[in-house]
Amino acid sequence: MSLQSGWEAVIGLEIHTQLATQSKIFSGAATAFGAEPNKQACAVDLGLPGVLPVLNAEAVRMAALFGLAIGAEVALESTFDRKNYFYPDLPKGYQISQLAQPIVRGGTVVINVGEGDKAVQKTINLTRAHLEEDAGKSLHEDFAGMTGIDLNRAGTPLIEIVSEPEMSSSAEAVAYARKIHAMVQYLGICDGNMQEGSFRVDANISVRRRGDPQLGTRTEVKNVNSFRFLERAIDYEITRQIELIEEGGTVQQQTRLYDPDKDETRMMRTKEAADDYRYFPDPDLLPVVIAPETLMAWKAGLPELPDAKAARYQAEYGLSAYDAAVLTSTKETAAYFEQTLAAMGSAGDAKLCANWVSGILAAQLNKASLDTTHSLVRAEALGQLLLRVADSTLSNKLAKDVFDAMWAGEGEPDAIIEARGLKQITDHSVIEAMVDAILAEHPDKVAEYRGGKDKLFGFFVGLVMKAAKGKANPQQLNEVLNVRLGPCGAGD
Amino acid sequence: MSYHLKTLTELRAGLASRAFSARELATCFLNRMATHDGALNSFITQTPEQALAAADLADKRLAAGEEGALLGIPYAHKDIFCTAGIRTTCASKMLGDWVAPYDATVHQKLNAAGAVMLGKTNMDEFAMGSSNENSAFGAVKNPWDHSAVPGGSSGGSAAAVAARLVPIATGTDTGGSIRQPAAYCGITGIRPTYGRVSRYGMIAYASSLDQGGVLATSAADCAVMLQVMAGHDPRDSTSANVPVPDYVAQLNQPLAGLRIGVPRQWFTSGLDVSVAARIDDALLELEALGATRVAIDLPDAELALAAYYLIAPAEASSNLSRFDGVRFGYRCANPRDLNDLYERSRSEGFGPEVQRRILIGTYALSAGYYDAFYVRAQRARRQISANFAAAFARCDVIAGPVAPTVAFNLGAHSSDPVTMYLEDIYTIPVNLAGLPGMSIPVGFAGTRPVGMQLIGSAFTEARLLAVAHHYQQHTDWHQRMPAAYREDAV
């Protein structure tokens, strides 16, 4: 959406990322999603009298990996604090979090905004990322006016990733959220499932008149469980705030919920009655200490991350910055691309693979609302298909037909080509014969072409292709036509 | 029989030689509880059935030739340690019928050792108090004088041991809750170094100060029990991964050359003169045994008291948030809505002193007050630790009073919380610094016992126990017991 002229938006995101540990952050209970309510909550998660938290070292490692990946300062010593508030799905009456000394401070990510040649890069600074425990869930339906509590999620490890308020549009915010989403999956520290709440984005949004040095009053929008909803929620909120101010009103500091059914945000609570969380250091937990050698070993073991991979694709395969960014935007897409290329073996053509993976495949996935891992055409099969393009068996157009057949479950590419008789005609003498036959049928047009009417070249191509049922190798056809017709305007 | 007049060592020997069985032993003490506890109210829950079953199991293990310092030995738990299947109340209406589904680490260890739990003792609600009058199950009486308090918060354990209803009991000490009742009841108590005994399953009052320990009739008995309770626990991040020495073997380490530091600031007008006189007697005795008395400075006791009454309530206000009427414990009748559920469950479930400390703690942590109260209190705490470090440069142990007076009368301080808080002025600095401390009986003022406090540097429990043991080898204050409880029960 385009901002109303004279206004600018200021957006910062807080992203709650569930870490993919086997057990909870302070207990040995499992973290798997979807278990029967309260079956994955032990005495510690239930906050029973007398229990004590013991920190899961794997959660620390995962948080540190994130910090290393964004070039942040990973604290060799960080501490846990208690955030005190009453809520039925918060078993202890406080959440163990990190306020004063978070494990990760600073860091940056580079986002790509816009498409193709118009894409621009922007660097977003992060404020911090800290470890904390997730709360349980309040179930307001199905209990006839009562509220049910499911504490399975209580104690699931989170890192809350906080950005600086440096984004100025929903597109930038989505690009940033997608980049963080990609990073945590590259790192293997989060499954990224937004529907199940593994990756939850809250947006802080304010608007101000362009050039105004003062920030406007912000609202926080919660309950956004897809990137599409994030975009729509931000756009809605920006418009709402601008209209409010233009009508003489003022923005209230509020927490608002996004309702995807109505595509609007609604007030959840005002921040004026702000909770005083009475943070203080948790006396049950010692400081989290990471040895410098351990941190160095973790850093050395980092996987190739999106930016590095994109740079490699440009250098190694000669891809454009935009194509490289698209292909590396998720771990799965990059893996698919690399598998497709590998399946082509020595005939591998990276640009061809890149075009197909980011073009035809992406469009098809989008149409079917599938992600790359659920593609109906496997990377190996696509590689086989592209081999037939590379060796001129198929034109791009025919290859698309074969791809569609593969998507429809008709089998392997070579079998489809064979069954449909789609094999391209590459026999030079056959093409010459076809060209000669067509030219003989149209002496008048040949004369016009030779008289300078160069547009007729396409006319002849079309007629030969029609005769060849589209299977003539286009490049060879062009060559033969050029030779047989001679230079345009050469006269008889 | 008179098992109640025997030391733990004698009881062990009798069990080992099969002179008597664990069942006979348990039965004797259960009878004493049945006879006497109506007057004392030292138990919240008596568990005779489970006790006899545990005793029978211990007899089987003894018959199989198993040896163990506590195998078949009866004891009582302060009702703050979680025991699976047996209610754990913390002397609160909030947990009046709450049964933990798990055992505290300390309870697991005592079970594994074959100790026989006879019941769970009364205490100040959530361990908040110095007189055991803040109990939803009624006040406990001092066996020496039923008009006096037994001290608190481990008042039930102290009274039960003093009356020999059990030979030994667990306690917890956050600001003096083992040492002060031990002093008031004329018995021996040890609060170990913070982190020495696991806090897992010990319901938290103030997490950075709480520590489990022992109340017994002698230092030697304390050593036996502490040996079993101490040690690192992976379920308690603050428990110390420091080897546990053999406390019993080290009881006889010589006193010669021991420097006993006596804080000048503790023997001033605030201290009852007869308490001061008894402590002086005890110090003379220790000097006669080879120790040297050194005057030391231990300033800032008032600062410590103020810091404690900010830090402990601050932590308590958070620790006790889980008692919200949602998942366990007391829930008010017919709540109108969520806030009503919270407000009434907590107002009706917690007693006045607990509510007072929750309010103090909530205030101290509130935005705008945090720096002025909590942060400054933590600074004061570091100052107290530094004072002790300086003192221990000049001495090996510190000796002084446990409390300013002997046991006061029931109801004497109930309308004045601040006077009650002053009870803890000599014990609290030890908790703030995380140090081990003991109380040993050193005589009487009138009919009421006087206790002397011994304080060591971190993880020097063995030395404290040895000092107390030497003293007890040459005095008989620890063997005195209230006349009304001397005879065998029938």
Side-chain angles (χ1 to χ4, degrees):
Chain A
M1 84 150 235
S2 60
L3 273 181
Q4 283 87 337
S5 60
W7 290 93
E8 65 180 0
V10 178
I11 304 162
L13 299 187
E14 292 172 13
I15 302 178
H16 288 85
T17 307
Q18 285 187 346
L19 297 177
T21 54
Q22 293 299 306
S23 60
K24 293 188 175 177
I25 184 167
F26 297 121
S27 84
T31 51
F33 179 84
E36 206 181 317
N38 298 311
K39 293 293 182 198
Q40 280 182 180
C42 70
V44 174
D45 308 319
L46 297 175
L48 292 185
V51 300
L52 295 171
V54 176
L55 179 61
N56 181 342
E58 184 64 0
V60 174
R61 188 186 70 90
M62 288 181 169
L65 288 187
F66 179 74
L68 292 168
I70 59 166
E73 177 200 338
V74 177
L76 296 179
E77 186 170 319
S78 63
T79 53
F80 283 102
D81 300 287
R82 292 186 184 177
K83 179 182 183 180
N84 295 283
Y85 64 97
F86 285 98
Y87 204 69
D89 60 24
L90 186 71
K92 297 185 296 296
Y94 59 85
Q95 178 193 32
I96 304 176
S97 181
Q98 296 189 305
L99 178 74
Q101 294 173 269
I103 187 163
V104 173
R105 280 182 211 265
T108 55
V109 295
V110 176
I111 59 172
N112 294 282
V113 190
E115 289 192 8
D117 298 340
K118 292 187 203 121
V120 290
Q121 290 198 328
K122 180 171 175 178
T123 299
I124 305 294
N125 290 292
L126 281 79
T127 314
R128 57 189 279 151
H130 60 259
L131 279 162
E132 61 185 24
E133 58 180 339
D134 212 339
K137 281 182 188 164
S138 294
L139 309 170
H140 297 294
E141 291 152 17
D142 307 333
F143 294 94
M146 310 271 280
T147 297
I149 306 291
D150 177 5
L151 295 176
N152 283 351
R153 198 179 72 177
T156 298
L158 296 174
I159 45 173
E160 182 178 335
I161 301 166
V162 184
S163 81
E164 290 290 306
E166 294 182 343
M167 288 152 275
S168 55
S169 68
S170 59
E172 287 185 11
V174 169
Y176 166 80
R178 282 188 183 279
K179 189 62 176 271
I180 298 291
H181 190 251
M183 303 272 284
V184 296
Q185 290 188 81
Y186 268 79
L187 292 166
I189 63 173
C190 175
D191 67 19
N193 190 320
M194 295 179 79
Q195 291 303 314
E196 292 178 1
S198 301
F199 188 88
R200 309 196 292 271
V201 183
D202 299 338
N204 286 298
I205 302 157
S206 66
V207 298
R208 60 181 168 190
R209 293 192 190 274
R210 203 168 290 281
D212 189 339
Q214 290 281 84
L215 286 171
T217 304
R218 68 189 159 90
T219 59
E220 182 177 8
V221 178
K222 288 180 174 288
N223 198 35
V224 184
N225 64 3
S226 76
F227 294 120
R228 194 161 54 97
F229 292 159
L230 176 63
E231 182 175 4
R232 283 160 56 174
I234 291 172
D235 286 342
Y236 177 89
E237 190 56 22
I238 290 171
T239 306
R240 188 189 70 85
Q241 290 186 13
I242 292 172
E243 285 175 1
L244 189 64
I245 298 169
E246 286 187 333
E247 286 161 13
T250 52
V251 175
Q252 304 293 313
Q253 192 170 344
Q254 291 170 343
T255 300
R256 299 177 69 87
L257 281 184
Y258 178 68
D259 180 342
D261 296 330
K262 295 183 177 161
D263 189 21
E264 63 179 28
T265 65
R266 276 201 306 273
M267 191 183 86
M268 188 164 99
R269 57 171 185 259
T270 63
K271 289 261 182 177
E272 280 173 317
D275 294 307
D276 178 356
Y277 291 118
R278 292 176 283 117
Y279 279 99
F280 75 106
D282 192 328
D284 288 332
L285 289 160
L286 304 177
V288 185
V289 176
I290 302 172
E293 313 84 80
T294 306
L295 197 61
M296 277 161 62
W298 287 342
K299 190 170 184 180
L302 281 177
E304 187 181 40
L305 293 163
D307 292 349
K309 202 182 272 290
R312 178 166 67 81
Y313 284 3
Q314 289 181 64
E316 205 170 299
Y317 305 134
L319 300 183
S320 71
Y322 177 74
D323 282 346
V326 169
L327 289 175
T328 54
S329 64
T330 72
K331 190 182 174 184
E332 289 72 27
T333 306
Y336 192 101
F337 164 73
E338 291 185 15
Q339 285 162 23
T340 305
L341 186 58
M344 291 184 74
S346 55
D349 180 337
K351 280 186 183 167
L352 181 66
C353 289
N355 287 342
W356 274 76
V357 172
S358 63
I360 288 164
L361 176 76
Q364 189 71 40
L365 288 169
N366 195 33
K367 204 167 107 189
S369 293
L370 291 174
D371 59 37
T372 312
T373 45
H374 296 100
S375 170
L376 301 185
V377 172
R378 289 175 300 107
E380 291 73 16
L382 180 61
Q384 293 302 316
L385 173 63
L386 297 186
L387 271 180
R388 299 295 157 256
V389 176
D391 69 11
S392 298
T393 306
L394 294 177
S395 63
N396 260 318
K397 189 190 166 308
L398 283 177
K400 174 66 171 67
D401 293 342
V402 177
F403 178 86
D404 289 343
M406 290 162 70
W407 189 270
E410 290 179 26
E412 296 300 308
D414 285 344
I416 294 169
I417 293 166
E418 192 63 41
R420 296 192 172 189
L422 290 175
K423 205 167 171 187
Q424 200 170 35
I425 299 164
T426 52
D427 186 329
H428 213 70
S429 57
V430 175
I431 294 174
E432 279 174 344
M434 291 165 80
V435 166
D436 289 343
I438 295 293
L439 295 187
E441 282 171 33
H442 299 282
D444 48 341
K445 301 285 185 201
V446 172
E448 284 178 42
Y449 177 83
R450 288 182 179 145
K453 202 168 178 188
D454 59 353
K455 279 180 184 166
L456 281 170
F457 192 84
F459 168 77
F460 294 119
V461 170
L463 285 177
V464 177
M465 268 300 183
K466 193 178 173 191
K469 298 196 174 80
K471 290 185 282 186
N473 179 300
Q475 214 175 338
Q476 283 176 287
L477 171 56
N478 282 352
E479 282 168 19
V480 173
L481 259 179
N482 259 326
V483 170
R484 288 292 197 265
L485 286 170
C488 179
D492 278 316
Chain B
M1 292 300 130
S2 305
Y3 299 130
H4 64 289
L5 300 179
K6 294 184 190 297
T7 66
L8 224 53
T9 313
E10 291 164 345
L11 293 177
R12 271 172 72 192
L15 286 167
S17 69
R18 311 305 287 150
F20 46 83
S21 66
R23 174 174 265 266
E24 285 172 277
L25 203 53
T27 305
C28 162
F29 283 103
L30 286 167
N31 286 341
R32 289 184 63 76
M33 286 159 60
T35 305
H36 292 299
D37 204 49
L40 283 181
N41 195 32
S42 65
F43 279 85
I44 288 174
T45 306
Q46 300 188 15
T47 54
E49 282 195 30
Q50 293 94 328
L52 292 175
D56 288 345
L57 188 64
D59 278 327
K60 280 191 192 127
R61 288 168 65 176
L62 285 160
E66 192 177 332
E67 291 177 2
L70 291 179
L71 185 54
I73 300 291
Y75 77 101
H77 256 317
K78 184 176 184 179
D79 202 16
I80 197 169
F81 289 96
C82 289
T83 48
I86 297 167
R87 71 173 175 169
T88 302
T89 70
C90 263
S92 181
K93 184 178 174 184
M94 184 59 85
L95 289 176
D97 55 3
W98 184 70
V99 179
Y102 74 99
D103 283 331
T105 297
V106 164
H107 189 57
Q108 272 186 358
K109 288 185 166 209
L110 290 170
N111 262 343
V116 176
M117 187 182 84
L118 303 187
K120 305 188 74 177
T121 58
N122 208 339
M123 54 186 281
D124 283 299
E125 185 179 2
F126 286 102
M128 299 179 193
S130 309
S131 69
N132 216 123
E133 293 170 294
N134 304 328
S135 167
F137 295 84
V140 178
K141 297 201 172 68
N142 190 316
W144 290 94
D145 182 341
H146 286 184
S147 61
V149 301
S153 66
S154 310
S157 286
V161 170
R164 302 331 194 239
L165 306 189
V166 286
I168 197 157
T170 61
T172 62
D173 189 318
T174 305
S177 284
I178 287 174
R179 289 160 289 158
Q180 186 251 22
Y184 281 12
C185 290
I187 61 168
T188 305
I190 182 162
R191 174 216 132 90
T193 309
Y194 183 78
R196 181 73 294 179
V197 170
S198 169
R199 293 189 297 116
Y200 189 81
M202 196 178 96
I203 296 176
Y205 157 26
S207 311
S208 74
L209 300 158
D210 294 343
Q211 181 60 207
V214 190
L215 296 103
T217 56
S218 69
D221 286 4
C222 284
V224 173
M225 183 89 151
L226 185 60
Q227 195 76 53
V228 173
M229 290 168 65
H232 178 246
D233 179 5
R235 287 181 298 184
D236 174 1
S237 308
T238 63
S239 92
N241 203 347
V242 174
V244 181
D246 188 334
Y247 297 127
V248 177
Q250 292 192 33
L251 281 173
N252 291 311
Q253 60 175 280
L255 286 195
L258 183 84
R259 297 168 301 164
I260 300 178
V262 180
R264 290 186 185 91
Q265 290 84 351
W266 287 11
F267 292 84
T268 53
S269 58
L271 181 64
D272 182 278
V273 286
S274 39
V275 170
R278 294 294 80 75
I279 290 168
D280 196 53
D281 294 345
L283 288 169
L284 288 169
E285 181 69 38
L286 286 169
E287 284 180 300
L289 294 173
T292 325
R293 197 190 308 207
V294 186
I296 58 161
D297 285 306
L298 210 50
D300 305 324
E302 293 79 9
L303 189 66
L305 194 68
Y308 174 89
Y309 277 101
L310 287 168
I311 292 168
E315 293 181 8
S317 70
S318 177
N319 284 333
L320 270 59
S321 292
R322 69 191 62 199
F323 302 105
D324 57 4
V326 173
R327 295 165 313 283
F328 48 76
Y330 180 80
R331 178 187 283 197
C332 68
N334 306 313
R336 281 192 314 278
D337 54 29
L338 184 60
N339 278 335
D340 188 46
L341 170 75
Y342 286 151
E343 282 180 28
R344 282 202 292 126
S345 297
R346 290 168 66 80
S347 300
E348 294 166 16
F350 289 136
E353 182 61 27
V354 172
Q355 294 192 35
R356 180 179 295 120
R357 295 197 194 186
I358 289 173
L359 289 172
I360 292 171
T362 302
Y363 189 77
L365 291 176
S366 295
Y369 299 98
Y370 181 81
D371 289 340
F373 292 130
Y374 187 81
V375 172
R376 283 178 71 192
Q378 290 293 3
R379 203 177 304 142
R381 185 174 187 171
R382 288 191 291 276
Q383 180 63 46
I384 299 304
S385 288
N387 292 348
F388 273 112
F392 281 118
R394 303 198 53 220
C395 63
D396 304 306
V397 298
I398 294 170
V402 175
T405 63
V406 293
F408 48 89
N409 286 341
L410 283 154
H413 297 333
S414 353
S415 59
D416 185 358
V418 175
T419 311
M420 188 77 93
Y421 296 168
L422 280 167
E423 276 296 304
D424 305 329
I425 192 152
Y426 305 122
T427 47
I428 273 171
V430 172
N431 300 74
L432 289 173
L435 302 177
M438 286 190 76
S439 174
I440 57 173
V442 293
F444 291 84
T447 57
R448 299 181 186 180
V450 174
M452 179 172 77
Q453 185 172 203
L454 296 171
I455 302 164
S457 51
F459 301 106
T460 59
E461 287 82 0
R463 181 153 61 198
L464 289 184
L465 289 163
V467 173
H469 181 64
H470 276 282
Y471 177 80
Q472 291 179 340
Q473 295 296 95
H474 294 87
T475 56
D476 68 350
W477 301 116
H478 64 291
Q479 290 168 341
R480 307 285 181 94
M481 59 176 295
Y485 299 91
R486 177 168 290 279
E487 299 306 315
D488 281 348
V490 270

